[in-house]
């Protein structure tokens, strides 16, 4: 399979048709548990002496196909799917870190991730230093003795900054710590962070991978490139009390991390993906390439059009010539820059709210990556809980409107926005 192109792997990777009853579509294995042949067989499975299914919180044949497919598409050695993108992030960090550990993270992050790192994990003794991600040296400078991971988004949400993954991976490597990249907005079609040095890739499958807003899901993909025996990760080199004395690095070698995510992380935190959702996500993944190309094309066209509207004060899209991230976009996202566009309007906070209220094709909701166009005003919604300072560092200015450009005809989207713009103008003149 590894020689096949992206579109082909998205349709076939991981699905052994004959081993699955000749099914052309991936079947839904809606079973909570699996019958053991006998007690010895069960004992072997629990001891990892032979592969097999035990309980759907740990593994499931439908999820397994999705996991193999996602690992293939991102160039990883294995993957674990989770109940949501948030579950993927939390399970990854809780698998790797313990109280006293430290994270260096990009300040330009999804609001939920920002809260996890800045508020919730500190309650468990895990702290984060957020850095301006535009210079890889900032990551290098923020690393402390107890730093154990670097966390970034390849394309920041909602700032839409393109990160220099290669430069940041070099900084992480110099300190012998892994680089984790949330690749949700770009998707593995537009950029494969592992090719640029990432050790772990995370996706919210809820967004472009599922693609039509019907199922939550997440994924953790292991590049298999990190040396867990370098002295900084005793959990991998000392007998695990959580798995009858297993020494991960000895037994599971380069797959130590992803194995620990499954056999301890899924077991203890319970973030399993429903096989029904895995099935839905597989339907979406089949057409990811076609969709993300069109989302990118429409978003660029709409961004250019927005630049010419007199109600619009600024437009941010990494593919625009005016974008400060254009050079990085050319390097990391040459096939397209995904479907999100942000812009500001005259009249600031109130006008932005009016536009979010008055568009009709663009649905006002807190999601992205849907086939249908979406709109939100982050300062009054998704990023409302953040302090003024945090809103600033995450790039969520008061006048910012975020569009998730869907697959409707671009003329209809323009007309919808134009109508909403006419209403703020009327308001301003009244
Ligand atoms: C949505 C999102 C998440 C969280 O994913 P859920 O599936 O909603 O839990 C994480 N990172 C990014 C970049 C996202 O856009």
């Amino acid at each position: 399979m590894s020689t096949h192109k992206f579109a082909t792997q998205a349709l076939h990777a991981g699905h052994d048709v004959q081993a699955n009853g000749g099914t052309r579509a991936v079947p839904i294995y809606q079973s909570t548990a699996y019958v053991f042949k006998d007690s010895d067989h069960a004992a072997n499975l629990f001891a990892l002496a032979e592969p097999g299914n035990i309980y759907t919180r740990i593994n499931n044949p439908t999820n397994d196909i999705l996991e193999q497919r996602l690992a293939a598409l991102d160039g990883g050695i294995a993957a674990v799917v989770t109940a949501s993108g948030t579950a993927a992030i939390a399970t990854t960090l809780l698998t790797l870190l313990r109280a006293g550990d430290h994270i260096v993270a990009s300040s330009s992050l999804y609001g939920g991730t920002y809260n996890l790192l800045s508020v919730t994990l500190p309650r468990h003794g895990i702290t984060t230093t957020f850095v301006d991600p535009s210079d890889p040296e900032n990551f290098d400078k923020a690393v402390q003795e107890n730093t154990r991971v670097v966390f970034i988004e390849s394309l920041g949400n909602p700032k839409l900054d393109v990160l220099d993954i290669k430069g940041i991976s070099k900084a992480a490597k110099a300190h012998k710590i892994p680089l984790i990249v949330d690749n949700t907005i770009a998707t593995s079609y537009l950029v494969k962070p592992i090719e640029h040095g990432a050790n772990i890739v995370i996706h919210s499958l809820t967004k472009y991978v599922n693609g039509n807003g019907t199922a939550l899901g997440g994924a953790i993909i292991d590049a298999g490139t990190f040396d867990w025996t370098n002295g900084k990760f005793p959990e991998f080199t000392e007998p695990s009390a959580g798995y009858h004395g297993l020494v991960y690095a000895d037994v599971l070698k380069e797959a130590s991390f992803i194995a620990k995510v499954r056999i301890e992380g899924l077991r203890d935190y319970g973030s399993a993906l429903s096989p029904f959702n895995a099935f839905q996500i597989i339907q979406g993944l089949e057409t990811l390439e076609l969709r993300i190309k069109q989302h990118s094309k429409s978003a660029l066209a709409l961004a250019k059009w927005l630049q010419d509207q007199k109600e619009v004060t600024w437009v941010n899209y990494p593919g625009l010539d005016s974008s400060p991230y254009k050079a990085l976009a050319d390097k990391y996202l040459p096939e397209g820059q995904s479907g999100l566009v942000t812009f500001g309007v005259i009249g600031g906070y109130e006008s932005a709210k009016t536009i979010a209220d008055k568009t009709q094709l663009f649905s006002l909701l807190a999601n992205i990556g849907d086939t249908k166009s979406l709109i939100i005003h982050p300062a009054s919604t998704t990023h409302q809980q953040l302090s003024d300072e945090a809103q600033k560092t995450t790039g969520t200015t008061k006048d910012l409107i975020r569009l998730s450009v869907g697959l409707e005809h671009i003329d209809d989207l323009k007309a919808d926005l134009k109508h909403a713009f006419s209403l703020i103008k009327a308001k301003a003149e009244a």
Side-chain angles (χ1 to χ4, degrees), residues 202-223:
I202 286 176
H203 291 278
S204 166
L205 304 174
T206 315
K207 313 294 170 55
Y208 289 105
V209 176
N210 180 66
N212 53 18
T214 59
L216 288 164
I220 306 164
I221 297 154
D222 187 352

Side-chain angles (χ1 to χ4, degrees), residues 84-86 89 110 113 153 157 182 184-185 204 206-207 216-217 368:
S84 66
T86 303
I89 295 167
Y110 174 68
T113 309
E153 290 176 10
N157 176 14
D182 179 337
T184 299
I185 311 300
S204 166
T206 315
K207 313 294 170 55
L216 288 164
I368 54 169

Side-chain angles (χ1 to χ4, degrees), residues 110 153 155-160 184-186 190 207-208 292 295-296 298-300 302-303 306 315-319 337-343 367-370 374-376 401-406:
Y110 174 68
E153 290 176 10
L155 183 52
N157 176 14
K159 202 172 181 179
L160 305 183
T184 299
I185 311 300
L190 297 178
K207 313 294 170 55
Y208 289 105
I292 199 70
H295 282 295
S296 299
S298 292
L300 177 61
L302 203 62
L306 282 167
V315 183
N316 181 25
Y317 184 73
Q337 300 81 37
S338 195
L340 304 190
V341 177
T342 58
F343 65 98
N367 192 20
I368 54 169
D370 197 317
L374 315 174
I375 189 166
I376 200 153
I401 295 168
R402 186 187 69 196
L403 303 178
S404 174
V405 180

Side-chain angles (χ1 to χ4, degrees), residues 220-275:
I220 306 164
I221 297 154
D222 187 352
T225 50
F226 192 78
D227 177 12
W228 302 104
T229 68
N230 70 12
K232 295 203 167 189
F233 295 88
E235 304 254 337
F236 291 101
T237 53
E238 291 170 4
S240 170
Y243 214 85
H244 50 62
L246 174 73
V247 178
Y248 280 92
D250 291 351
V251 178
L252 291 145
K253 310 259 190 294
E254 73 275 9
S256 291
F257 163 71
I258 202 70
K260 197 169 196 289
V261 164
R262 186 181 304 284
I263 64 183
E264 294 192 37
L266 289 184
R267 184 197 62 190
D268 299 347
Y269 300 120
S271 46
L273 180 68
S274 154

